[in-house]
Amino acid sequence: MSKIRTRFAPSPTGYLHIGSLRTALFAYLTAKSQSGQVILRIEDTDQERRVEGAVKKLVEILNWTGIEFDEGDHIGGEFGPYTQTNRLDIYERCAKKLLARGKAYRCFCSPERLTKMREDQQKRKEPPRYDRKCRDLSDEEIKKNLQAYKPFVIRQKMPKRVEVIAHDELRGDIKFNSGELEDHVLIKSSKIPTYQFASVVDDHLMEISHVVRGEEWIPSFPKNILLYKAFDWTPPKFIHMPLILNKTGGKLSKRQGDVSVEDFKAKGYLKEALINFCAHLGWHSKGDNEIFTLKELEKEFDYKKIGTSPAIFDTEKLDYLNGYYIREMEIEKLVDLCMPFLEKNLSKTTDDRRQTTEYIKKVVSIEQERLKRLDEIGELTEFFFLDKLKYDKEMLVWKKMEPSEVKPNLELIIKLLNKIPEDCWTNDSIEEGIVSYLKAKELRIGNYLWPMRVALTGRKASPGPFEVAEALGKEITLKRIKLASIK
Ligand code: GLU
């Protein structure tokens, strides 16, 4: 088997789009599932979209995801440089080769002429395309223009009306008519190549075997194929991944906060969940299992199993996966990851005991089951840290009880809790101490546990009263219940 090499070729925009993470992952998995290599290439030829520090940020967030590259300017490699603006001489050399072969030509048309031409085409309801005025300039004319330092672009000379067959690994042969293709620009007058040209040159010179990219590139796919033909190069295999749509079938929101991996990270999504989620945006494993580590995906992944119908971006599924990984996580690690989200709560207590790692660990472990995103931990656990709870008195009344019952019921709870020695203050013994008494007296359990739980948390929904009481400790538990009983 020949060498398998794929690439992830982002344009550095300042953040990593979640769809680009899927591209990076599929490129990585296509390589790794076949013992190949994956390279990181920076496609920064769009000068207008340049963002300072974007490449550094990109490498940082990719490192965070766990996707490792074999080559790239950040780690080196023998096919570099891997940043397109550092390869301009290479593109120039290649463009000259095409000129010499008669497969490309210099176009000296002024921007004004091109604008006028487009406007006229629009008026005539014709598709906007270059009218090929410079396609057949004589050598004399070209020489004259060059000597006059007339700016020019280099355009590809498209064959007139031939059938172009572009083979996609997932969709099979896609047929195009070259008559519909424009003599598109390969090198702009600024000497900067277009994406179409630079990516073909780079993929060839970097010996890319599989181009893994989004379906939105299919319309320009025939241009790529014709460029390979013009050079007499063998094209790599192309894998166009399906679109990613939101649940209502529309495009993913363009608002950065909804799609950037950095923001998912800031909201407390784990890299394991994001990777697993992205892996299933268009790909399905053989069996029922949907939970894979990156290492497992490397074995399991088969690019031939990527579908072609749009993948649906279902945030509920992502939350489910994130919750799953949170539940599976060692508590020490979870506490570490939660710490940045707990700082605000920690600043709310004046009690030293509630600042200790031991206390925080207990609190986090109580919420571990229901936590879906790390950033929820602050809100969920606030009551554990407050010196004084704020809630409506009415909340203490359970639906099946009279308001007048709250006070005596809480007093009974206080009496029962007082009997439990400090050194036996555990979830189980608190439960035992209360529930066995209530049962023996045939009292309605909810009439006691509801107000107790509200007294401890100040909330309608929260973890159970015994585990909360255990974490809070005997002193604070009694203090909170006493306060509630005199409310
Ligand atoms: N620079 C292109 C982008 O960011 C890459 C497309 C490709 O993978 O060829 O969309």
Side-chain angles (χ1 to χ4, degrees):
M1 192 163 58
S2 57
K3 264 196 306 185
I4 305 293
R5 284 169 63 82
T6 66
R7 77 329 187 251
F8 173 49
S11 303
T13 52
Y15 69 97
L16 182 64
H17 192 287
I18 186 85
S20 302
L21 175 59
R22 198 254 324 238
T23 307
L25 179 65
F26 280 25
Y28 173 86
L29 293 174
T30 300
K32 296 298 152 186
S33 58
Q34 305 178 85
S35 312
Q37 296 157 326
V38 57
I39 71 173
L40 177 63
R41 182 169 78 222
I42 304 297
E43 301 204 330
D44 60 345
T45 55
D46 190 347
Q47 299 292 310
E48 278 155 35
R49 285 170 62 202
R50 263 184 101 111
V51 180
E52 258 323 287
V55 175
K56 190 167 163 269
K57 270 188 80 180
L58 182 74
V59 169
E60 268 168 24
I61 194 76
L62 284 168
N63 279 340
W64 175 77
T65 65
I67 296 176
E68 281 178 20
F69 292 89
D70 297 289
E71 293 166 34
D73 279 340
H74 63 304
I75 41 173
E78 52 178 302
F79 293 84
Y82 296 90
T83 301
Q84 288 187 328
T85 47
N86 295 334
R87 299 172 61 79
L88 299 184
D89 53 331
I90 299 175
Y91 307 127
E92 193 179 346
R93 218 169 46 234
C94 289
K96 281 195 174 138
K97 202 159 148 188
L98 284 188
L99 288 173
R101 288 168 155 247
K103 303 287 183 185
Y105 59 93
R106 293 184 183 85
C107 165
F108 297 93
C109 290
S110 66
E112 295 73 30
R113 176 176 186 273
L114 294 176
T115 312
K116 168 100 182 40
M117 180 195 76
R118 296 234 149 81
E119 283 167 2
D120 291 347
Q121 283 168 338
Q122 236 164 15
K123 273 187 217 144
R124 293 196 300 268
K125 302 225 169 357
E126 288 170 12
R129 73 170 54 160
Y130 179 58
D131 62 4
R132 299 181 168 170
K133 178 170 182 279
C134 296
R135 186 165 158 134
D136 298 308
L137 291 184
S138 67
D139 291 348
E140 270 313 288
E141 282 169 298
I142 296 172
K143 210 165 147 195
K144 217 172 78 202
N145 285 335
L146 289 177
Q147 276 166 354
Y149 294 106
K150 249 187 153 179
F152 62 87
V153 301
I154 298 179
R155 293 182 182 271
Q156 186 177 1
K157 207 179 246 183
M158 287 297 176
K160 292 179 183 159
R161 277 184 292 283
V162 295
E163 188 178 65
V164 188
I165 298 178
H167 184 81
D168 173 72
E169 289 298 296
L170 309 175
R171 294 162 184 79
D173 287 347
I174 311 177
K175 293 182 183 144
F176 298 88
N177 181 346
S178 74
E180 281 159 24
L181 302 173
E182 182 177 38
D183 283 358
H184 66 137
V185 175
L186 303 178
I187 306 261
K188 297 182 227 172
S189 55
S190 58
K191 304 272 180 261
I192 304 282
T194 56
Y195 160 74
Q196 305 299 343
F197 188 62
S199 66
V200 163
V201 168
D202 289 347
D203 287 338
H204 176 75
L205 295 180
M206 294 178 185
E207 297 182 10
I208 299 304
S209 64
H210 294 66
V211 169
V212 181
R213 63 181 183 181
E215 187 177 307
E216 64 274 19
W217 295 106
I218 290 185
S220 51
F221 191 15
K223 290 184 192 166
N224 305 146
I225 295 301
L226 288 171
L227 206 45
Y228 281 101
K229 276 209 168 75
F231 276 117
D232 230 348
W233 291 341
T234 312
K237 290 192 158 97
F238 281 85
I239 301 163
H240 289 96
M241 297 168 300
L243 296 174
I244 304 176
L245 301 179
N246 64 27
K247 267 176 114 178
T248 52
K251 274 191 144 187
L252 279 194
S253 165
K254 282 234 162 40
R255 275 178 298 148
Q256 181 181 332
D258 297 333
V259 291
S260 99
V261 177
E262 288 85 348
D263 283 320
F264 280 104
K265 178 179 176 228
K267 285 182 198 156
Y269 285 101
L270 304 173
K271 60 181 182 183
E272 292 81 358
L274 283 169
I275 289 288
N276 205 350
F277 177 72
C278 284
H280 291 90
L281 288 173
W283 171 80
H284 297 281
S285 49
K286 285 194 286 287
D288 291 337
N289 183 16
E290 286 227 315
I291 306 270
F292 297 97
T293 62
L294 187 56
K295 281 274 159 287
E296 285 163 352
L297 283 170
E298 289 172 24
K299 290 205 193 86
E300 191 77 13
F301 189 81
D302 176 359
Y303 76 77
K304 297 203 174 78
K305 298 267 176 341
I306 301 174
T308 52
S309 44
I312 303 300
F313 193 93
D314 180 355
T315 329
E316 277 167 36
K317 186 167 172 204
L318 175 59
D319 285 351
Y320 161 77
L321 285 169
N322 211 48
Y324 170 83
Y325 284 106
I326 288 176
R327 287 195 297 282
E328 291 292 298
M329 195 177 280
E330 300 252 335
I331 184 67
E332 284 76 15
K333 187 168 171 209
L334 183 58
V335 169
D336 275 352
L337 292 175
C338 285
M339 276 321 273
F341 301 102
L342 285 170
E343 259 153 37
K344 215 161 124 203
N345 287 351
L346 287 167
S347 70
K348 285 181 186 160
T349 178
T350 50
D351 177 4
D352 287 347
R353 189 183 76 89
R354 284 189 277 163
Q355 310 255 10
T356 59
T357 321
E358 200 196 338
Y359 183 72
I360 297 168
K361 195 165 138 188
K362 199 164 251 179
V363 166
V364 172
S365 71
I366 290 176
E367 294 294 350
Q368 187 168 10
E369 273 298 303
R370 84 202 83 220
L371 197 59
K372 292 229 160 55
R373 291 191 338 231
L374 300 177
D375 69 344
E376 295 166 342
I377 194 77
E379 216 282 310
L380 283 173
T381 64
E382 193 195 21
F383 67 85
F384 280 107
F385 297 93
L386 293 175
D387 282 342
K388 198 165 184 311
L389 300 180
K390 277 199 203 109
Y391 57 91
D392 281 342
K393 200 173 143 196
E394 290 75 52
M395 216 200 277
L396 292 160
V397 187
W398 194 39
K399 53 182 191 258
K400 291 181 185 158
M401 70 194 276
E402 292 299 323
S404 60
E405 288 176 83
V406 171
K407 190 173 160 60
N409 291 10
L410 286 178
E411 279 168 357
L412 175 63
I413 296 282
I414 293 171
K415 213 172 95 193
L416 296 172
L417 289 177
N418 266 325
K419 284 193 204 154
I420 304 168
E422 188 100 46
D423 56 355
C424 291
W425 192 260
T426 63
N427 183 357
D428 290 344
S429 57
I430 302 168
E431 178 168 4
E432 170 64 22
I434 295 177
V435 175
S436 58
Y437 180 90
L438 297 177
K439 277 193 178 153
K441 298 280 179 206
E442 294 185 9
L443 294 167
R444 192 179 247 165
I445 292 184
N447 288 4
Y448 293 82
L449 297 192
W450 175 275
M452 172 184 173
R453 199 185 51 68
V454 173
L456 294 181
T457 63
R459 295 183 177 200
K460 278 203 175 99
S462 75
F466 311 121
E467 47 182 349
V468 174
E470 177 189 311
L472 288 173
K474 189 167 177 179
E475 192 189 322
I476 297 169
T477 299
L478 285 168
K479 199 168 130 198
R480 287 190 179 182
I481 301 176
K482 274 178 199 153
L483 266 174
S485 70
I486 55 169
K487 240 183 180 286

